[in-house]
Amino acid sequence: MNINRRGLFAGMLAAGVAAASLTACSTDSAGAPATTTPANTVPGAALRAGSGANTSLGPIKKIDAGVLSVAYAEFGPATGQPVILLHGWPYDAYSYADVAPQLAASGYRVLVPFLRGYGETTFLSAQTVRNGQQSAIARDIVDFMDALHIDKAVLGGFDWGARTVDIIAALWPQRVKAMVAVSGYIITQQAAQQQPLPPEAELGWWYQYYFATERGRVGYDRNRHDFNKLIWKRASPAWNFDDATYDRSAAAFDNPDQVDVVISNYRWRLSLVPGEPQYDAYEQQLATGPAISVPAITIGSDFDGAAKDGKGYRSKFTGKYEHRVLDGIGHNVPQEAPKPFAQAIIDADHL
C-alpha cells in the first residue's frame, strides 16, 4: 500500500467506512432523515468517555517564533515534562480541550499551539509566503520549542499534526522524547503523490482536487464554516458533536491566512505549486522516507480503514514502539476519545 498518500478521507478506502460516512449525512429513500443509532449501540461509545467535558482552553498566550507569532494554550506546571499537541485541518487547538487537562493533572506541562493559518497565530511579516508545505509547518514547531527554551518534548498529533510529529521525529530526533501519531507514518513524498490510486480511493480526495482549482479556492473561502463542518461529519460519522463544539473550533478558521495556507498545503502535495527554497533540504530528506527511531505509539481508527492495523508502516518505526487500534472512533481521535489519547501520551513517555 502507498502509506504516503493517505490523508483526510484516505481511510475511506474501506467500503464499509465510506458507506457509514455517507449515511451519516444522508436521508433514506423516502426522503426522511436517516435513522439515528441509539447511543448505547454507537460504535466506540465507551472510548468517548470524557469527550466534551471541557469547553475552554483558558487564556491564549502568544510568543514570537520563527516567522510567526504563535498563539497557544498552556496547561499544567511550568516545571513538568513538556508535551506539545498538534492539530490538523480542519480542526484547531480545541481538539485537545479534554486531553490537555488530563495530562496536566498527571504533572505534564502541556502546550497546544494553533498552526499557521489558524486562530490567533499570525505571520510577523506581510511579505512571508503563506506556505502550507509540510516542512514549513514542522519548522514552525521547532521554532516554537526554541522560543520557549524547550530542548526536548513529547509530541502528539493527528492529521497535519501527526505528519508534523513524524517529520520532527525524523529530522530532529534529539528534540523528541517520545511521540504519538494518529494514522502512523504519513510523511508526504511528492513523487508517490503523482501515482494514481484505485477509483474508490480517489473519490475520497475530492476536496484536494477541488482545492486545485480557483473555483475551489473561492468556494472554500466563501463557505469555509459549512465546508469544514461537512469534513468533520464525514471523517467521524459516529461522533455526535453538537453545534457549540464545532463553532468553538470554527472560530479558528476566520484567520486571514487560513485559505492561503490550506490551499497551499494541498496544491503543494500534488506538485501544483512550488515550496520555498529554504525548506528544500528538509524535503529532500523526507523524500527518502526516513525511519523514525524515537519511542513511538501509533493509533489507528476507523478513519484509516484497512490501514488501521498499522502493518503498512510498522517498519518505519525502529525504536521502542506500540500500535493501538480504536474501533468505532473517527479521525479526530483526541477530541473523540480523549482518555485513550492521553493515556497513549503517558505510555509513550514511559516506553
Side-chain angles (χ1 to χ4, degrees), residues 200-268:
E200 186 175 355
E202 295 286 13
L203 179 64
W205 286 91
W206 67 272
Y207 66 94
Q208 179 166 286
Y209 303 129
Y210 183 61
F211 288 164
T213 69
E214 285 308 299
R215 174 189 172 106
R217 171 190 280 275
V218 173
Y220 183 62
D221 190 14
R222 187 177 298 168
N223 304 298
R224 72 184 87 161
H225 180 281
D226 292 345
F227 191 105
N228 290 344
K229 192 171 188 178
L230 175 64
I231 299 293
W232 276 40
K233 289 178 178 179
R234 294 188 175 231
S236 300
W239 180 33
N240 188 28
F241 61 87
D242 58 22
D243 288 343
T245 297
Y246 176 73
D247 289 342
R248 280 190 289 273
S249 289
F253 311 144
D254 292 332
N255 184 295
D257 301 309
Q258 164 74 188
V259 175
D260 286 343
V261 169
V262 170
I263 297 300
S264 167
N265 179 283
Y266 289 104
R267 290 185 180 181
W268 176 85

Side-chain angles (χ1 to χ4, degrees), residues 182-183 298-302 304 307-308 313 323-327:
V182 174
S183 301
T298 56
I299 297 175
S301 71
D302 284 1
D304 299 308
K308 73 159 64 174
Y313 48 75
H323 180 72
R324 299 176 181 182
V325 175
L326 301 182
D327 292 320

Side-chain angles (χ1 to χ4, degrees), residues 89 143 240 267 270:
W89 175 84
D143 291 338
N240 188 28
R267 290 185 180 181
L270 292 179

Side-chain angles (χ1 to χ4, degrees), residues 302-344:
D302 284 1
F303 175 82
D304 299 308
K308 73 159 64 174
D309 63 9
K311 292 179 180 178
Y313 48 75
R314 174 63 185 90
S315 63
K316 291 295 185 180
F317 296 90
T318 59
K320 296 179 179 178
Y321 176 78
E322 291 182 15
H323 180 72
R324 299 176 181 182
V325 175
L326 301 182
D327 292 320
I329 298 299
H331 192 39
N332 187 353
V333 170
Q335 197 163 5
E336 293 183 60
K339 290 184 178 179
F341 188 91
Q343 190 61 54

Side-chain angles (χ1 to χ4, degrees), residues 102-187:
Q102 292 179 45
L103 294 174
S106 295
Y108 289 95
R109 179 190 182 192
V110 185
L111 303 148
V112 191
F114 290 81
L115 300 184
R116 57 169 62 191
Y118 296 82
E120 296 179 47
T121 291
T122 56
F123 288 86
L124 295 174
S125 171
Q127 280 67 53
T128 302
V129 177
R130 273 43 177 174
N131 177 6
Q133 79 181 99
Q134 61 180 1
S135 58
I137 296 171
R139 184 69 241 186
D140 289 345
I141 301 306
V142 174
D143 291 338
F144 176 67
M145 294 174 68
D146 289 344
L148 290 170
H149 306 292
I150 295 172
D151 292 329
K152 183 176 287 191
V154 178
L155 303 182
F158 73 106
D159 195 80
W160 290 16
R163 179 172 293 108
T164 303
V165 169
D166 286 341
I167 291 169
I168 297 173
L171 298 184
W172 298 280
Q174 72 277 12
R175 308 301 296 271
V176 184
K177 186 172 187 288
M179 59 167 280
V180 173
V182 174
S183 301
Y185 189 96
I186 54 174
I187 293 173

